[in-house]
Amino acid sequence: MAETFSKKEKREKKQKKKQDKAQRIEERRLNNDKGKGLDEMMAYVDENGNLTTVPPPTGRKREINVQDIQLGAAPIAPEETRKTGVVSFFSDKGFGFIIDNRTKEKIFFHRNELSQPVAEGDKVSFETERTSRGDNAVRVQKE
């Protein structure tokens, strides 16, 4: 009996798979890292924290003052509580806006926070308070 076309095709595919598998095994065997010397496997860390294959030079070492090492988050400088600005708008309804001299930001204020009456263009000093609608000027005093 003769071999059919599909049987022949299956046999050839099986042989091709065996050859491919043998070839992959041979490649893995040749590229194997086992048996390398200790020097080839070593990695070094330089003074900047980068990995390198070259050992660091032994001669120069930088002295570090322990007090200069900062642990945790950077300290936040306290913000000045009293700010200055100019009244840019004041309504008859009792509210207005101050332009902060340092940040040039418009800050809302209400007449209840005034220690004395103000008009547009007056220089004032104030403190800010965070509300649900943004910053409000409080304890506003005319300068």
Side-chain angles (χ1 to χ4, degrees), residues 4-7 9 26 39 49 51 59 72 82 85 95 105 110 118 120-121 136:
T4 64
F5 178 77
S6 63
K7 285 183 181 180
E9 194 173 290
E26 185 65 25
D39 292 334
L51 291 176
R82 204 80 182 143
F95 67 90
E105 178 181 9
H110 193 268
V118 296
E120 286 186 38
N136 281 357

Side-chain angles (χ1 to χ4, degrees), residues 2-43:
E3 196 174 23
T4 64
F5 178 77
S6 63
K7 285 183 181 180
K8 187 177 182 182
E9 194 173 290
K10 283 181 185 178
R11 182 175 44 82
E12 287 174 358
K13 277 186 180 180
K14 210 174 199 183
Q15 283 179 337
K16 175 78 170 132
K17 272 188 176 181
K18 275 186 180 181
Q19 285 177 347
D20 289 345
K21 187 174 181 179
Q23 187 177 4
R24 285 194 307 267
I25 290 171
E26 185 65 25
E27 285 176 7
R28 275 189 296 229
R29 191 179 63 76
L30 292 174
N31 294 331
N32 191 358
D33 288 342
K34 289 183 181 177
K36 279 188 175 180
L38 182 62
D39 292 334
E40 294 174 2
M41 292 189 288
M42 289 294 279

Side-chain angles (χ1 to χ4, degrees), residues 76-91:
I76 299 171
E79 196 175 302
E80 62 181 66
T81 56
R82 204 80 182 143
K83 299 178 180 182
T84 59
V86 177
V87 176
S88 66
F89 172 78
F90 189 66
S91 170

Side-chain angles (χ1 to χ4, degrees), residues 90 109 111 113-119 122-124 140-143:
F90 189 66
F109 74 95
R111 91 169 93 196
E113 298 296 337
L114 297 174
S115 62
Q116 54 204 44
V118 296
D122 287 348
K123 293 182 180 181
V124 292
V140 180
Q141 294 180 344
K142 199 173 185 181
E143 286 190 344

